[in-house]
């Protein structure tokens, strides 16, 4: 298994250029095709006929402006690919909301590259909603690049946060192309403080280590005791191990008819300091 087709979001986010650079580096490293998707977003028209007659022209002008921004993002992507001498790439402008466009295109790609939204930037709430929807509903793994710092790909030191769940199993399987190329791979299972005193790997973790070895990945496995919230404990360990890629399941739950991220997932997404690969 490897990544043969990568997908990256193109927009007017100041972090888009850094995101595209990572995507280009990964496409080169995996000898994969890279698609840049520039969604325009949609302008909502008023419901009442009376209001529609007044603002339709303004709405059309606003939609045209959104289209111009999307095309500019696509052109910048094309130029970056040319500068990087990456020929296996293409850009596409889609008249759709960003999450809808990415979810639709994800079916024909192996990995989506996004950026952690920067709370200080305009449009933070909207960008966060796009990321959360992709994590919850994406059919493919999502690679999130932190908004702070510089990211160099490919990644050398990977940490897998594993708890035996379906989501964690999916994430570690989806991350195999990264794990095979990593210099060091650590797999840790966290438990709340007091629930687990012994950090010795149990039979389940040993079986996972053997499974990884069969796939060409040499990993160190251990149990971890979390005295802090799980998200904080995971991110603390990434710093201790000089991790440059965190792999974990993306968790969600249902409140009435609304899908929501789980606490650990939301915590990592909010405070991540290294790239995170998430799967559901």
């Amino acid at each position: 298994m490897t990544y043969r087709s990568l997908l990256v979001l193109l927009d007017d986010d100041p972090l888009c250029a850094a995101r595209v650079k990572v995507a280009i580096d990964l496409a080169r490293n995996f000898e994969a095709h890279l698609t840049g998707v520039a969604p325009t977003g949609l302008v909502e028209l008023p419901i009442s006929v009376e209001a529609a007659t007044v603002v339709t022209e303004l709405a059309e002008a606003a939609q045209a402006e959104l289209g111009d921004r999307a095309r500019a993002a696509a052109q910048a992507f094309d130029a970056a690919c040319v500068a990087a001498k990456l020929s296996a790439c293409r850009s596409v402008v889609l008249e759709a909301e960003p999450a809808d466009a990415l979810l639709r295109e994800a079916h024909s790609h192996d990995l989506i590259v996004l950026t952690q939204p920067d709370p200080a930037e305009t449009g933070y709430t909207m960008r966060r909603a796009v990321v959360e929807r992709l994590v919850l509903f994406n059919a493919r793994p999502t690679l999130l690049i932190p908004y702070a710092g510089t990211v160099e790909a490919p990644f050398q030191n990977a940490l897998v946060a594993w708890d035996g769940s379906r989501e964690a199993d999916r994430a570690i399987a989806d991350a195999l192309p990264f794990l095979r190329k990593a210099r060091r791979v650590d797999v840790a299972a966290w438990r709340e403080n007091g629930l687990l005193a012994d950090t010795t790997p149990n039979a389940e973790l040993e079986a996972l280590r053997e499974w990884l070895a069969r796939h060409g990945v040499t990993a160190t496995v251990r149990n971890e005791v979390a005295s802090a919230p799980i998200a904080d404990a995971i991110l603390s360990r990434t710093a201790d191990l000089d991790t440059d890629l965190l792999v974990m399941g993306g968790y969600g739950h249902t409140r009435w008819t609304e899908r929501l991220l789980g606490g650990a997932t939301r915590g990592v997404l909010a405070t991540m300091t290294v790239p995170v690969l998430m799967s559901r």
Side-chain angles (χ1 to χ4, degrees), residues 77 83 111 125 133 158 162 183 189 234 256 268:
F77 169 79
L111 179 73
T125 301
R133 189 173 171 199
W162 190 77
R183 181 180 59 198
I234 292 173
W256 297 98
V268 168

Side-chain angles (χ1 to χ4, degrees), residues 162-184:
W162 190 77
D163 61 2
S165 66
R166 180 190 66 82
E167 290 84 356
D169 284 342
R170 170 79 182 274
I172 197 171
D174 285 342
L176 279 175
F178 283 124
L179 301 183
R180 289 195 189 100
K181 289 178 176 286
R183 181 180 59 198
R184 192 189 74 235

Side-chain angles (χ1 to χ4, degrees), residues 186-247:
D186 293 279
V187 181
W190 274 268
R191 299 290 186 275
E192 298 288 352
N193 191 24
L195 297 181
L196 182 68
D198 186 5
T199 59
T200 303
N202 55 24
E204 200 172 18
L205 276 173
E206 285 294 342
L208 182 61
R209 182 186 60 77
E210 293 175 3
W211 177 81
L212 285 168
R214 295 187 194 105
H215 285 273
V217 178
T218 300
T220 300
V221 298
R222 61 177 279 116
N223 285 306
E224 294 275 358
V225 178
S227 56
I230 295 295
D232 294 343
I234 292 173
L235 293 174
S236 175
R237 183 58 73 197
T238 64
D240 295 341
L241 296 173
D242 195 25
T243 298
D244 56 5
L245 176 67
L246 172 63
V247 177

